[in-house]
Amino acid sequence: MKKTADTLQSTQVKLSSDTIELGIGQPDPDLLPHDDIKQAATHCINNNYSTSMLPYGHEEGCDHFRQELSQFLSRHYRQPVSLDRLFITNGNSQGLSLICTLFCHSGDTIFVEEPTYNLALKIFADHHLNVVSIPMDDNGIIIEELEEKAARFKPNFLYTIPSFHNPTGITLSQKRREQIIALSQAYNFLVVADEVYQLLHFGTPPPPPMADYLDSDTVLSLGTFSKILAPGLRLGWIQTGQYLMSKLVDAGVVHSGGGLNPFTSGFVRSILELDLLDPYLDKLKGIYGRRCRVICQTMSKNLPSTITFKEPEGGFFVWLKFPSDIDTKAILTKARQDKTGFKPGFLFSCNRNTTNYARLCFAYYGENQLETGIKRLAGSLLKP
Amino acid sequence: MKKTADTLQSTQVKLSSDTIELGIGQPDPDLLPHDDIKQAATHCINNNYSTSMLPYGHEEGCDHFRQELSQFLSRHYRQPVSLDRLFITNGNSQGLSLICTLFCHSGDTIFVEEPTYNLALKIFADHHLNVVSIPMDDNGIIIEELEEKAARFKPNFLYTIPSFHNPTGITLSQKRREQIIALSQAYNFLVVADEVYQLLHFGTPPPPPMADYLDSDTVLSLGTFSKILAPGLRLGWIQTGQYLMSKLVDAGVVHSGGGLNPFTSGFVRSILELDLLDPYLDKLKGIYGRRCRVICQTMSKNLPSTITFKEPEGGFFVWLKFPSDIDTKAILTKARQDKTGFKPGFLFSCNRNTTNYARLCFAYYGENQLETGIKRLAGSLLKP
């Protein structure tokens, strides 16, 4: 019922309801925590949290909620996270837009990874930024390229997705994280780290988040409840050092409107106080981990050996590499006829490169549908 | 309990708890609709609205909610308001910031009224806009000045607060509304109308909102639940024509994050379905109307006759004019010693003019406190 075209925002094509669109990069609607939200609503009401949910909130967000969030993050990052370093947002998309407003002028240059999250590119375009891409290898962004371009372009910031990268699934190595911080200080740019998948690992956790380097005063670490609880909440946070925090708190939107989401913060405060998030996150990791294995195994068995990929250890996505003369956009047309789909690679490049790649999401569909989708795709590829 | 420094966001001074700070421009926390929210939460849960509250929402907002909102607005604007013309926001501050992002580059010129809403000026500064002010008289913005400057500066938009203006309380006349629209078409600028106080009239309604002129394709009319329900909801809307709507729906933040506030929309949908908003709004108008009369009567009786004002017919604010050699910033220091306060006039001018004015809000405090606050201010003015 839920998985119809109705929920397919950002997918420009009308799909038939039996299409398995592996391009959709969203949490599975069937896994959304409806019962936890109901419990939280009752808790919230019984404890009269509305006194802090209904007025204008503090610029940085509700203290009670930030306290709960700091404890949650301290537990999962295995590092103390101070509530003084947390600025509450409406999720990472709006956090990113706020950062563009506060730290850039139109025409300024920023860096992204090649490839990068396709829809972040639209946010940067809205802010009229000059986007320069830095290539990646299996360990993340290539440091020599970053240094050479930093010297040349003097970017305002680097936008990076360090863990279980969208679209590649790659995790930036510990050593490169440190090198990026050193370069950000040497060349005076900010590191805007989209740490949306940091907590969604299926076994070994990734290296500590970029939020570990707040002392550099160059890091803005963006986190969100969209992938670990529910995207409709539009609730996230920016973890940052003292100086950058003072810039966020001084933004006109929070001077005028107060905290960015006091109402929803009250509900999620209840979710955290009731200890509902940890078990829900464990459940998600188990399910997504199994789905990841299923999609990878099915691809290994059914796709031609000329198509390669690396099995991700977390996140939402697997990144397929086709032979270099293949444009996946053309393949998509065939796949759609066979009632499946993916996101073609060119979307993730600010230069419209990576045309011989495809991003598949294993989070949105169940194991059986993933198998069926991949088999349809394999069949589609065999056709002339 | 509620009216301590804790709720005084945007007031940079620490106030003692017995200060009556008439500068605070917020709804009275004691009037916030806690019981209505509780009822809505139960309704929402019982009707399983969470299926549309938890996933990514449609870019323009939840259809069910927009349907309810369109009926509410049609009733109060006494004009049919189509849901297709409503784009849901996180309130007017963020709506305004989104408009700056989408319709301006850094360095572009925009127009504001002189005086204007002080905190909007900070939002425009964050977007690095060149702000030019247009003087007002008792009927709102002066049309000849607008035309002369429009020809000279070619602004991207005019930011106006047409009804019960912040800080002056003035309402733009019907004729001038039409003239502004004509000029916006002739000189190719947008009209960004902050219609936050449109529904808060104490007797005769103001002229129809600028949203009445959507056919011009130059109007973006911003509305919000902040002043008619609760600011912590961070929920509002932009009503606009087809072309500008397509620009909003194409914003990177909604491509990436989906609708701006699906979760809270579900609760307010319940408030509307349960018919709780109309009686609440009636109650507010009654209370604010009485408070407005009390503050004006107390001022007439107690303030020196050299200080003049016009009694507002709606909104939150009354604007005091002091003799032209008085700087209200200096008076504020004395007033604070006497445990009262106001917002000094210079804050509302992008040129730091209007120094001999003061903005007082009659919405935040009850009638007795307003009387006491004004008497303290009067006493303060008598001191050498």
Side-chain angles (χ1 to χ4, degrees), chain A residues 33 59 103 118 131 136 139 174 229 269 281 286 311 316 325 330 356 363 365 382:
Chain A
E59 287 87 341
F103 300 105
N118 57 328
V131 179
M136 298 171 70
N139 290 311
Q174 172 73 37
L229 196 55
R269 172 185 169 192
L281 179 57
E311 183 164 341
F316 267 35
D325 60 332
N356 61 319
Y365 289 103
L382 287 175

Side-chain angles (χ1 to χ4, degrees), chain B residues 28 58 63 73 100 109 131 139-140 160 168 206 216 224 229 254 311 364 375:
Chain B
D28 182 347
H58 287 284
D63 283 351
L73 290 175
C100 293
T109 295
V131 180
N139 289 312
T160 174
T168 66
S216 66
T224 176
L229 196 56
V254 294
E311 182 163 341
Y364 190 76
K375 286 178 180 169

Side-chain angles (χ1 to χ4, degrees), chain B residues 267-280:
Chain B
F267 286 88
V268 180
R269 173 186 169 192
S270 282
I271 297 247
L272 290 164
E273 286 181 354
L274 291 166
D275 287 325
L276 298 173
L277 188 55
D278 282 12
Y280 180 68

Side-chain angles (χ1 to χ4, degrees), chain B residues 262-336:
Chain B
F263 187 70
T264 307
S265 298
F267 286 88
V268 180
R269 173 186 169 192
S270 282
I271 297 247
L272 290 164
E273 286 181 354
L274 291 166
D275 287 325
L276 298 173
L277 188 55
D278 282 12
Y280 180 68
L281 180 57
D282 278 344
K283 176 182 143 182
L284 283 186
K285 288 196 286 192
I287 293 172
Y288 291 156
R290 285 191 294 279
R291 290 180 180 186
C292 179
R293 271 198 304 282
V294 164
I295 198 172
C296 289
Q297 283 167 1
T298 314
M299 290 195 300
S300 296
K301 257 190 243 168
N302 294 275
L303 295 186
S305 62
T306 51
I307 300 172
T308 57
F309 64 91
K310 196 172 169 250
E311 182 163 341
E313 292 171 28
F316 268 35
F317 304 110
V318 58
W319 185 234
L320 299 193
K321 184 179 183 182
F322 289 68
S324 59
D325 59 334
I326 300 282
D327 185 342
T328 53
K329 205 171 149 190
I331 290 178
L332 181 58
T333 313
K334 290 205 285 175
R336 282 272 160 72

Side-chain angles (χ1 to χ4, degrees), chain B residues 27-77:
Chain B
D28 182 347
D30 293 338
L31 297 178
L32 290 171
H34 298 281
D35 290 337
D36 292 350
I37 290 289
K38 284 181 193 179
Q39 240 184 288
T42 309
H43 182 266
C44 211
I45 286 169
N46 290 343
N47 288 282
N48 290 313
Y49 286 176
S50 64
T51 52
S52 63
M53 289 160 63
L54 296 186
Y56 284 107
H58 287 284
E59 286 88 340
E60 60 272 40
C62 164
D63 283 351
H64 300 292
F65 170 59
R66 286 158 73 229
Q67 180 62 45
E68 289 296 326
L69 176 60
S70 77
Q71 287 169 8
F72 171 77
L73 290 175
S74 300
R75 217 156 49 234
H76 288 272
Y77 287 174

